[in-house]
Amino acid sequence: MKNTHPQGSAQTLAGRITEWLTFDNMHHQWLLLAACFWVIFMFMVASKFITLTFKDPDAYSAKQEFLFLTAVPDAGKLPGEKHFSEELKPTGKVLSDSRLVQPLVYMERLELIRNVCRDEALKNLSHTAVSKFVLDRIFVCDKHKILFCQTPKVGNTQWKKVLIVLNGAFPSIEEIPENVVHDHEKNGLPRLSSFSDAEIQKRLKTYFKFFIVRDPFERLISAFKDKFVHNPRFEPWYRHEIAPGIIRKYRRNRTETRGIQFEDFVRYLGDPNHRWLDLQFGDHIIHWVTYVELCAPCEIKYSVIGHHETLEDDAPYILKEAGIDHLVSYPTIPPGITVYNKTKVERYFLGISKRDIRRLYARFEGDFKLFGYQKPDFLLN
């Protein structure tokens, strides 16, 4: 008994060692297998991420190193297939983590412009040459690579103040005298037309570009009130030179002695032969010509189009996209000032013939369609 016990113990010990080694080997195999599955899973996730992020590398501008976008699919493409055309290439700068996804509304606006620009039936109303007149409307901020196209009567004074501060002419918006904002000898805002052709093309291709629009008819009402009724900047030539010229040609009742009326203004703007008067009025017409004539949206690929009606959202977004939100803020917007006022529009057009209103719409139809404003059937029918 004494001789066999050690042998049995040894055998038992050997068996346990063998069993442990077998278990340990299986354990390592399972760990290895699990590790392999993990690597494969991570590779699939990484591949999907890379596919989503770099599916269309040409859709990203040089300024954007990392940016997720959401866009409306092109006509003819599958609903789930995303594609960014040349016109939709964003030129904004890198967004913060909280704004990685670009809101759909801004891409939809660019998509709408692209589609209307392709509509042959609207070509005469949506296209214009990038002439000196257009280049004179575009203000330059080289320091931050920004181009802003001026569309008068759409809150442009405030955007000019933003650019004046960015260009370093004044340390803050509050310190800019009102008489300096529109004095292009003192405000430090160069126009794009002041550069050579090569420099113009370089800026048009690489800078962040934007402008603001509002309902076309409401803008015309604002222009009429500002220039012919209130005239807060004391610009006498509107009442004493331009108004008489419009009255002489377009007033039907020759015995009427009142100053210019909105009806006269509407007839002038809706006249297909208005250009001969435009030439006499010179650059003063910028307050009422179309957005197409001012900014050439079918020829220049803008980064963002802001809307006056949604300026509370659009202004901070533009500053963020341009990469300047940490440097300057858009001035406070008085409550309700940007809301579309249908009642006011109806009041101003009251008594004006349907024929004259339809002719006016015919001229501004391109603006309505390019920027998604509803056709004013309540005035036309």
Side-chain angles (χ1 to χ4, degrees), residues 217-282:
F217 279 7
E218 194 170 38
R219 172 176 170 253
L220 294 180
I221 292 170
S222 178
F224 178 79
K225 288 168 58 181
D226 185 64
K227 299 306 174 187
F228 299 110
V229 180
H230 303 306
N231 201 256
R233 297 196 187 100
F234 188 66
E235 299 164 311
W237 47 87
Y238 286 101
R239 288 179 179 173
H240 302 319
E241 297 175 23
I242 295 177
I246 294 173
I247 291 171
R248 278 194 299 271
K249 182 167 178 61
Y250 296 102
R251 178 156 293 177
R252 286 175 178 165
N253 184 357
R254 297 296 180 179
T255 62
E256 175 64 66
T257 58
R258 290 184 301 170
I260 187 170
Q261 301 297 298
F262 189 64
E263 183 179 11
D264 306 321
F265 191 54
V266 167
R267 286 202 197 97
Y268 153 55
L269 295 178
D271 183 359
N273 299 313
H274 61 84
R275 295 195 183 279
W276 78 271
L277 264 189
D278 289 350
L279 291 173
Q280 296 180 42
F281 298 158

Side-chain angles (χ1 to χ4, degrees), residues 117 126-130 292 295-301:
C117 289
S126 60
H127 289 262
T128 191
V130 183
V292 170
C295 298
C298 288
E299 286 67 39
I300 298 174
K301 310 309 176 189

Side-chain angles (χ1 to χ4, degrees), residues 280-299:
Q280 296 180 42
F281 298 158
D283 279 359
H284 299 308
I285 65 173
I286 65 172
H287 298 281
W288 51 77
V289 297
T290 65
Y291 299 127
V292 170
E293 294 169 280
L294 291 169
C295 298
C298 288
E299 286 67 39

